[in-house]
Amino acid sequence: RKEVEQDPGPFNVPEGATVAFNCTYSNSASQSFFWYRQDCRKEPKLLMSVYSSGNEDGRFTAQLNRASQYISLLIRDSKLSDSATYLCVVSLTGNQFYFGTGTSLTVIP
Amino acid sequence: EADIYQTPRYLVIGTGKKITLECSQTMGHDKMYWYQQDPGMELHLIHYSYGVNSTEKGDLSSESTVSRIRTEHFPLTLESARPSHTSQYLCASRRQGGTYQETQYFGPGTRLLVL
């Protein structure tokens, strides 16, 4: 079983739409959680960390459900520039990081 | 913006050649990582290092070796390149200490094609 599972999509949404991605992780002892964004043929870049109480950064909201071992990312008012692959990342000890395959998002004009 | 660099950015090489992929960071990070990523697939950890003279193998055995003689430098060597090594190689670094939420910073990657 993979450490991190994501729906690969693709998600094709119109500009202005709200879209949500989910991710599940297998190890209940995981300590840290992140969402990264990866543009085509580029390196991953941190979008936001995910805290136990949930957190928001502008149009992006991340939630963590430890009981169900899933993480979510909500994007409101989608922009064309949000088109990318979103990677769910989980770390057990803060040393090794496990990446999901990513969820592909295309925002359509 | 992360100060982590990888060279070369693109490499086409023949089977059996020895190659070294370079990774350097100027952030003074102790922890460094090498990942391999195929198109549409997740990143797989190849090697990591907690500091100078410390290296460990990751989950993916890629028949490569690494060294960490200086904090800022973490090169990856393939002794004999094979077509199965064709992939994108990403280097990352992370600050030692801090909280569990301390994130990794990635270099721009090296795209390797072995003919």
Side-chain angles (χ1 to χ4, degrees):
Chain A
R1 184 184 173 188
K2 289 188 177 182
E3 296 282 344
V4 179
E5 303 258 17
Q6 286 184 256
D7 178 352
F11 285 68
N12 300 314
V13 302
E15 266 186 294
T18 296
V19 61
F21 307 138
N22 289 328
C23 158
T24 58
Y25 59 95
S26 61
N27 194 323
S28 59
S30 297
Q31 295 282 351
S32 50
F33 311 90
F34 309 89
W35 283 102
Y36 277 70
R37 170 191 170 127
Q38 187 172 26
D39 292 296
C40 187
R41 303 177 73 81
K42 299 283 190 179
E43 74 273 24
K45 292 188 177 179
L46 179 69
L47 179 66
M48 57 196 305
S49 300
V50 186
Y51 299 107
S52 297
S53 56
N55 48 299
E56 188 174 304
D57 182 2
R59 297 182 293 107
F60 299 87
T61 300
Q63 297 277 357
L64 169 63
N65 185 320
R66 285 190 182 271
S68 301
Q69 294 179 211
Y70 83 77
I71 308 150
S72 65
L73 176 68
L74 182 77
I75 305 175
R76 291 181 300 278
D77 188 23
S78 299
K79 311 290 186 192
L80 296 177
S81 58
D82 294 334
S83 298
T85 296
Y86 291 83
L87 306 176
C88 177
V89 183
V90 173
S91 179
L92 180 65
T93 62
N95 291 323
Q96 289 199 45
F97 292 76
Y98 296 96
F99 289 74
T101 54
T103 298
S104 174
L105 171 67
T106 301
V107 181
I108 304 163
Chain B
E1 199 69 24
D3 294 321
I4 180 164
Y5 310 98
Q6 289 185 242
T7 57
R9 294 291 310 279
Y10 304 92
L11 179 62
V12 181
I13 202 162
T15 296
K17 300 291 186 184
K18 178 179 178 178
I19 57 174
T20 295
L21 308 183
E22 303 287 349
C23 176
S24 296
Q25 50 91 9
T26 58
M27 298 174 281
H29 289 173
D30 289 303
K31 297 181 180 179
M32 295 189 74
Y33 308 79
W34 274 105
Y35 292 91
Q36 185 174 341
Q37 186 183 30
D38 293 320
M41 303 297 289
E42 65 267 46
L43 279 72
H44 289 286
L45 181 66
I46 312 171
H47 296 278
Y48 58 101
S49 167
Y50 292 152
V52 171
N53 295 325
S54 151
T55 62
E56 301 285 344
K57 282 188 178 290
D59 299 327
L60 183 67
S61 173
S62 68
E63 299 155 349
S64 58
T65 59
V66 291
S67 62
R68 190 86 183 277
I69 299 171
R70 302 198 319 262
T71 297
E72 63 271 20
H73 195 213
F74 190 41
L76 175 77
T77 298
L78 288 170
E79 292 293 331
S80 180
R82 297 208 306 266
S84 60
H85 293 139
T86 295
S87 189
Q88 174 168 247
Y89 292 83
L90 289 159
C91 180
S93 72
R94 181 174 178 266
R95 191 169 67 95
Q96 180 79 318
T99 69
Y100 284 125
Q101 294 299 136
E102 199 72 38
T103 188
Q104 293 183 316
Y105 296 93
F106 283 86
T110 294
R111 290 191 176 272
L112 173 65
L113 172 62
V114 183
L115 302 175

